Amino acid sequence: MGRVVVGVAVSVAVVACIVAAGVVSRRVQNRGKWRRVVRVLKELEEACETSVGRLKQVVDAMAVEMHAGLASEGGSKLKMLLTFVDNLPDGNEMGTHYALDLGGTNFRVLSIQLEGNRSSILDHDVERLPIPQHLMTSTGNVGKDVAECLEQAMTRKGLNIRVTALQINDTVGTLALGHYHDADTVAAVIIGTGTNACYLERTDAIIKCQGLLTTSGFMVVNMEWGNFWSSHLPRTSYDIDLDFDSPNPNDQGFEKMISGMYLGDVVRRVILRMSQESDIFGFGSSRLSMPFVLTTPLMAEMHEDESLDLRDVARILNDILGIPEVSLKARKLIVRICDVVTRRAARLVAAGILGILKKMGRDGTGGIAGARSRTDVNIKRTVVAVEGGLYTNYTMFREYLHEALIEILGEEIAKHIILKVTEDGSGIGAALLAASHSSN
């Protein structure tokens, strides 16, 4: 009996050792998996780093490229297009004015009634019609004056309407709408699916069009800032791959780092890389390899998930990316990835805006009234009109942008820079431009 008992005891001990060894082995393997994904995260954080020093370099680079783009055609990746809008609505416009908004699939007609003294705008959609397919694909009036063709068409229809402005850029409409409500509005930025900026420039600073004269001495310049590029931008391997896979490689570099079209896909690419390094997200998902399957609104929803168990993150990973049963620890990792990518984008937008204001001399670096202290800077109140869902609907993006403005400028200067949300610059803004030009 003694030998049997000893044998059983030895067997139990062996089994216990095997079980313990298995547990230890799994823990070591799990630690190894996490070390690999954490390494990927650390590399992302380092590559996306936007210190104040780096942001100031981006500010300077934006101002330099603006100068170059105004000096000569092709002198910069910033196109700096002249809009020939040389006066903006000032609130004194009166009468009924219409705007025709030709979108990608729909055609809108809007009317506004103005009574001067920056009165409230009484506007409404007169009609919204889908654009017939045959008009999208048929031949057009190439080489002809589009405004003149439009006016002739309306005359044939018996309409007593004069065409006073042709606007082909919604950023300019956003600036017009902002200036109508606030005379200190000098620039406009669209931060949505796409991104762009325009601002009010002195005509004598537009060197590539020497001799250009306007009554106001100013002209709105459409920057097409999505194409801005500088070696100071914190570009990652994910940005490089995204650019290579895009229909327009080596173009719109700034837009691909900051706009709603691309942010979600940058996050997807990071998650895909982590899934290749470890099985913390399961054993792979075919959906995770699909470009743009993770949209920026969904990314924002994960980023701003405030539930204790991050249930929105779990739902989106399961429903959209086909990754079920992700641990809470892994879900927190996803939120961190979203945070890194969003923070970089928002801070770069802030630097871009300040680059415009630096070019205009309205960023607080000038105008010191005989004093060395920045607290004595005499800076004008400066308003930037902003439109686009990335700014208006994404709270964390907006907070990071404002935080960066304060960090770069300091609180005393930053309080003079106001970002004001506008709505429907492409429609109402266009009608206001028509009003301001018809009054002249």
Side-chain angles (χ1 to χ4, degrees):
M1 287 295 293
R3 290 180 181 175
V4 173
V5 170
V6 171
V8 171
V10 170
S11 298
V12 170
V14 170
V15 171
C17 287
I18 292 171
V19 171
V23 170
V24 171
S25 176
R26 282 194 298 273
R27 286 179 178 173
V28 170
Q29 287 177 355
N30 286 337
R31 281 199 294 269
K33 293 174 185 176
W34 274 101
R35 275 198 297 269
R36 289 195 293 272
V37 295
V38 167
R39 184 175 66 246
V40 172
L41 177 61
K42 291 296 181 186
E43 289 171 355
L44 177 71
E45 290 174 334
E46 290 170 7
C48 288
E49 181 265 332
T50 49
S51 65
V52 173
R54 172 169 250 173
L55 291 178
K56 287 182 177 179
Q57 289 175 320
V58 175
V59 170
D60 292 341
M62 180 67 79
V64 167
E65 289 299 311
M66 290 172 70
H67 275 286
L70 290 173
S72 63
E73 293 295 347
S76 165
K77 289 194 76 95
L78 290 177
K79 295 183 180 177
M80 306 300 286
L81 302 174
L82 305 189
T83 65
F84 297 94
V85 173
D86 58 350
N87 65 287
L88 292 169
D90 59 10
N92 293 315
E93 293 77 14
M94 301 184 70
T96 301
H97 304 272
Y98 293 86
L100 310 180
D101 182 17
L102 184 65
T105 54
N106 290 307
F107 183 70
R108 287 193 308 154
V109 182
L110 300 92
S111 70
I112 59 172
Q113 181 68 41
L114 303 175
E115 298 177 352
N117 300 317
R118 285 204 163 84
S119 59
S120 60
I121 301 169
L122 307 176
D123 65 279
H124 62 282
D125 281 352
V126 176
E127 197 164 4
R128 185 191 299 266
L129 294 171
I131 303 170
Q133 191 62 35
H134 73 276
L135 291 180
M136 290 188 181
T137 55
S138 63
T139 57
N141 303 315
V142 177
K144 294 186 178 180
D145 186 330
V146 179
E148 185 180 337
C149 291
L150 176 60
E151 191 160 298
Q152 289 172 356
M154 289 191 294
T155 300
R156 287 196 298 270
K157 291 290 185 181
L159 300 174
N160 184 22
I161 297 177
R162 185 165 59 93
V163 178
T164 59
L166 175 68
Q167 175 195 331
I168 58 172
N169 187 274
D170 56 354
T171 319
V172 179
T174 298
L175 177 56
L177 181 55
H179 197 270
Y180 178 84
H181 290 295
D182 193 321
D184 290 331
T185 305
V186 295
V189 178
I190 304 284
I191 316 170
T193 303
T195 185
N196 193 17
C198 69
Y199 72 107
L200 207 53
E201 180 59 274
R202 299 188 335 268
T203 49
D204 61 4
I206 307 174
I207 301 170
K208 62 184 177 183
C209 289
Q210 286 185 338
L212 180 68
L213 296 175
T214 62
T215 5
S216 64
F218 290 89
M219 180 175 289
V220 176
V221 172
N222 168 21
M223 293 175 61
E224 292 295 325
W225 87 344
N227 209 36
F228 167 68
W229 187 251
S230 164
S231 60
H232 299 300
L233 292 174
R235 200 183 197 198
T236 70
S237 60
Y238 308 103
D239 300 304
I240 293 169
D241 292 342
L242 185 151
D243 180 57
F244 180 80
D245 295 338
S246 71
N248 57 339
N250 300 317
D251 279 328
Q252 300 300 108
F254 194 49
E255 181 171 75
K256 288 170 183 171
M257 297 177 76
I258 66 173
S259 79
M261 178 70 187
Y262 300 99
L263 297 187
D265 202 58
V266 174
V267 169
R268 178 195 65 83
R269 288 170 183 269
V270 179
I271 299 172
L272 176 61
R273 166 77 187 284
M274 287 183 170
S275 72
Q276 292 166 344
E277 293 283 333
S278 166
D279 62 359
I280 65 166
F281 300 119
F283 294 99
S285 162
S286 57
R287 290 192 215 164
L288 195 52
S289 299
M290 296 170 58
F292 299 103
V293 67
L294 181 64
T295 63
T296 297
L298 289 171
M299 181 205 77
E301 194 175 345
M302 292 196 295
H303 188 195
E304 298 184 330
D305 185 355
E306 296 181 348
S307 62
L308 293 177
D309 59 350
L310 296 177
R311 64 179 68 102
D312 289 335
V313 176
R315 173 179 52 79
I316 291 169
L317 289 176
N318 181 69
D319 297 351
I320 305 301
L321 297 179
I323 307 175
E325 300 177 1
V326 177
S327 69
L328 181 58
K329 190 177 180 181
R331 277 176 257 164
K332 289 180 179 178
L333 189 68
I334 296 292
V335 173
R336 179 59 187 156
I337 296 168
C338 297
D339 186 73
V340 172
V341 172
T342 297
R343 185 172 185 270
R344 178 188 68 164
R347 290 169 71 83
L348 289 178
V349 171
I353 291 172
L354 292 181
I356 297 172
L357 300 186
K358 184 181 182 70
K359 167 66 179 69
M360 300 179 74
R362 299 185 75 130
D363 67 330
T365 57
I368 300 177
R372 295 180 181 178
S373 170
R374 282 176 62 87
T375 56
D376 293 330
V377 170
N378 179 22
I379 181 172
K380 296 179 181 177
R381 177 178 180 272
T382 298
V383 179
V384 178
V386 183
E387 190 167 326
L390 196 59
Y391 181 83
T392 57
N393 300 330
Y394 195 169
T395 305
M396 291 299 295
F397 184 97
R398 188 167 60 250
E399 289 179 357
Y400 279 141
L401 196 162
H402 285 267
E403 176 186 80
L405 291 177
I406 293 170
E407 286 183 22
I408 298 169
L409 294 175
E411 288 190 18
E412 283 301 311
I413 302 298
K415 69 184 181 183
H416 297 283
I417 310 297
I418 298 123
L419 304 189
K420 276 194 177 181
V421 174
T422 65
E423 292 183 11
D424 199 9
S426 63
I428 300 173
L432 287 171
L433 279 173
S436 64
H437 281 72
S438 65
S439 64
N440 290 333

